[in-house]
Structure formats: C-alpha cells, structure tokens
Amino acid sequence: MKKFILLGLVLLVWNSYAAPNEDFPSANISNSVLKATLLLPDKEKGYYQATRFDWSGVIESLEYDGHSYFGQWFKKYDPKNHESIKGPVEEFEPIGYDNAKVGDRFIKIGVGALGKTNDKPYSSFTLYNIENAGTWKVKRKKDEAEFTQELKDESGYGYIYTKTVRLVKGKPQLILEHKLKNTGNKSLETKVYDHNFFLIDNQLTGPDIRIKFPFEISGTGRGLGTIAELRGREINYLRELKDREDVYIGSVEGFTNDAKDYDFRIENHKSGAGVRIRGDKPLSKLVFWANPNTSCPEPYIEVRAEPGQEFKWNINYEFYTFRK
C-alpha cells in the first residue's frame, strides 16, 4: 500500500511540471547546426492562450552541439496562465489602456484587442478577454518561420505585425526579425522586452550559471546579498535557489543609449554551454529576474509607429560552447 501511495506522489509531482500530453500546433526548423521546435499561435488549440506575451515565435525547444537551451521552467501548465510559455518570448506594454473606459478596448501587440473590465491599473498577470485576435498567418521554410498578425479594430487601432524566426545558414545563430506597420488611425507607442526564459541543459539556477554584461552593472533588488551578487560586469549566484525563491532587480543600471549595450551572455559553467544575446536598438530599461530553473535578463526597447509608418528591430542569438 505504501508503494502505491509513493508512486502516486511521484506522479503528482511529475505532472505538476509536465504539460498535458496533447498535440499543439507546431513547426520544426533546422539548419546544419541548430534545430528548434516552434509552438504556433491558435486561439483554440495553441499552447499559449493567455494575454501577457506575444503569441508568435514561442520556442518549445532548441538544440546545439548536444546542448538544450529551452524547456518548461514553470511548475503547473495551463494555456490560460500568463507564465505557461517557453523560449525568448516578448511582451509589449498595453496601448490605450489608461485612456480606455470600462468596456472599451485596448491593444496588446501579438495578442490583439482586449476588453477593459475595471478601473484598476493594468496588470500583466490578469487574464483579459480577447475581443479581437485579428488574423494569424504562418509561412514555413526549412530554416525559418514567419508569423504575421493583422489587426483591424473598432477602437481605431490597426497594425500588421510580422515576426520571423530565422536560423542563419551554417551558423549557430537564431535571429528574431520584427516589423510593425501601423494601419490604423491612432499612434502605436509602446515598449517591448524579451523575457529570455533560458534553461540551459536543465541546470538549476546556482553558482554554475553566470550572466554577463558589456558594462559595469549596479542596482538593488530582492535576493541580492543573500542569493546573488553583482560583481563588476556579472551577476553571480552565491548558492542554488530553493523552491519559490527568486532574484529580482527592477532596474539594472550602467547601460548607455548606444545599441552596443544590448549585449548579454548566459553561461552554464557545469555543461560548458552559453548564449549571446544582441539587439540592434538602444535599451530603454533593463530588468533581471531568476527563479530556481531560469535566469532572465529582460531588455526593453522603445517602439513607435505613426499611422502609415513601420518600425523594425532584430534580436540575434548566438549559441556556443566553451571549456569548463
């Protein structure tokens, strides 16, 4: 009897981390050195159906030279939960929320037009009703996938948002290419950041994981001095994080308005695998967050497109190995 109880507890813990055994819309891409599985946007069947993150370009897994870079970093899967998502996912700040009345719509690029349900401040952790998801189209090639969301809404907002996930031929590089065209009659002005949910070789967050910056960093936040420390141009962990612990720096300081400072590295010094992250736009803000499974520099940039205008930006990921 005790064996059956123990088996039940093991299965309960495992199921809290594992996603349901379902076939979600997906696509595989590869070049000669990288292979990745992407989860496709779908309001009814998609892996991610919440309203915080951009639905396009969600990367379930990526492998390079025997190393894995993404995975399920959260415990409980729910398609309507804001954190049930994987990969270098992006979030746009809401457009039009503050000026909208209860019952009106506001915009989350990559999600759609959402309904404002009360007068409380906007929260990324609230599930809003999607009044208009627009239309999604996905074009696939062997080494890339192009996601396009077109939205025309009664609120006066409209856009064509295109994200291409492209593997560079013959190189361990992945590029996220973005285009946002304003097709409405209102200005599109927002910020977007990449959460970078890296989980390199399933290594728990601790002294083996190091985060590197191209400038001397400073800042204050939760967990500094007890779990992690700022050391010159690095964030180092003093010990492994325990369940439900996190490190949070709401404003990492030290960068300039030069795009060269959008340049970060996350390295696993136990397995000898790392990733370099570079953007082509200046940083407007930099946040850092980590939990026991993932370490996330969160770089923000400004996005602005007047009616008829188009805004473009790219993020480059270079995967590498090194001697431990």
Side-chain angles (χ1 to χ4, degrees):
M1 185 68 177
K2 290 182 179 179
K3 289 184 179 179
F4 285 110
I5 294 174
L6 179 60
L7 178 59
L9 289 173
V10 170
L11 290 174
L12 179 63
V13 172
W14 172 258
N15 286 332
S16 71
Y17 279 87
N21 185 21
E22 298 182 28
D23 292 325
F24 301 101
S26 63
N28 296 318
I29 60 174
S30 65
N31 60 10
S32 59
V33 290
L34 295 175
K35 61 178 180 179
T37 298
L38 311 181
L39 297 167
L40 309 183
D42 189 300
K43 189 176 181 180
E44 304 298 332
K45 300 178 182 179
Y47 181 86
Y48 186 74
Q49 300 173 32
T51 55
R52 178 179 181 182
F53 292 107
D54 173 8
W55 287 11
S56 64
V58 179
I59 300 179
E60 181 178 42
S61 63
L62 183 143
E63 296 180 9
Y64 166 62
D65 197 22
H67 298 277
S68 63
Y69 283 84
F70 302 113
Q72 185 165 318
W73 59 272
F74 50 90
K75 285 187 177 181
K76 186 177 180 180
Y77 172 75
D78 179 344
K80 300 289 188 179
N81 187 296
H82 68 274
E83 68 178 20
S84 292
I85 197 167
K86 307 174 184 179
V89 296
E90 294 167 273
E91 180 184 6
F92 292 82
E93 292 187 349
I95 300 174
Y97 183 87
D98 291 340
N99 294 327
K101 298 177 182 178
V102 175
D104 289 346
R105 298 178 178 182
F106 64 99
I107 302 299
K108 285 276 285 189
I109 294 168
V111 182
L114 312 181
K116 185 172 183 177
T117 56
N118 55 53
D119 284 325
K120 294 180 180 179
Y122 173 81
S123 172
S124 293
F125 310 123
T126 296
L127 181 66
Y128 295 92
N129 188 51
I130 301 175
E131 304 288 349
N132 181 0
T135 58
W136 282 100
K137 294 181 181 179
V138 181
K139 296 181 180 179
R140 311 180 201 180
K141 295 182 181 179
K142 179 182 178 181
D143 56 2
E144 70 176 50
E146 179 187 273
F147 303 83
T148 300
Q149 182 193 32
E150 184 169 1
L151 180 78
K152 296 179 180 178
D153 192 63
E154 63 183 29
S155 62
Y157 290 105
Y159 61 79
I160 299 175
Y161 170 55
T162 303
K163 179 194 286 187
T164 302
V165 181
R166 181 167 65 86
L167 303 181
V168 178
K169 185 176 181 179
K171 296 182 179 181
Q173 287 181 261
L174 178 150
I175 300 177
L176 300 181
E177 301 172 341
H178 308 78
K179 293 187 295 184
L180 178 66
K181 184 175 182 180
N182 189 340
T183 59
N185 55 35
K186 294 182 178 180
S187 174
L188 295 177
E189 186 172 357
T190 183
K191 293 180 182 178
V192 62
Y193 71 94
D194 197 317
H195 207 302
N196 289 307
F197 287 118
F198 277 94
L199 180 57
I200 302 178
D201 292 324
N202 296 303
Q203 178 70 34
L204 294 177
T205 304
D208 289 323
I209 304 297
R210 299 178 190 174
I211 300 88
K212 300 181 178 182
F213 303 81
F215 49 85
E216 298 284 328
I217 56 175
S218 62
T220 59
R222 189 166 58 244
L224 289 181
T226 55
I227 303 174
E229 65 178 1
L230 308 184
R231 186 180 299 170
R233 298 186 175 194
E234 294 188 11
I235 295 177
N236 295 160
Y237 296 102
L238 303 173
R239 60 171 175 79
E240 285 191 354
L241 275 72
K242 300 175 183 178
D243 187 36
R244 298 189 179 184
E245 284 188 327
D246 70 349
V247 175
Y248 178 75
I249 309 172
S251 180
V252 179
E253 304 295 338
F255 62 86
T256 69
N257 61 358
D258 193 321
K260 67 179 178 60
D261 284 341
Y262 194 136
D263 188 346
F264 320 109
R265 293 175 186 260
I266 306 173
E267 294 180 345
N268 182 335
H269 282 253
K270 183 176 182 179
S271 68
V275 58
R276 184 181 185 185
I277 307 162
R278 288 176 290 169
D280 64 355
K281 293 289 185 291
L283 294 166
S284 63
K285 181 181 177 182
L286 180 58
V287 172
F288 179 80
W289 178 81
N291 82 347
N293 295 316
T294 184
S295 297
C296 310
E298 303 175 26
Y300 287 69
I301 67 167
E302 302 279 354
V303 175
R304 184 180 180 89
E306 297 298 333
Q309 292 183 345
E310 185 175 72
F311 185 86
K312 299 180 181 180
W313 71 101
N314 295 333
I315 306 174
N316 184 301
Y317 294 85
E318 181 180 351
F319 304 91
Y320 59 90
T321 58
F322 56 93
R323 288 189 177 184
K324 296 176 279 183

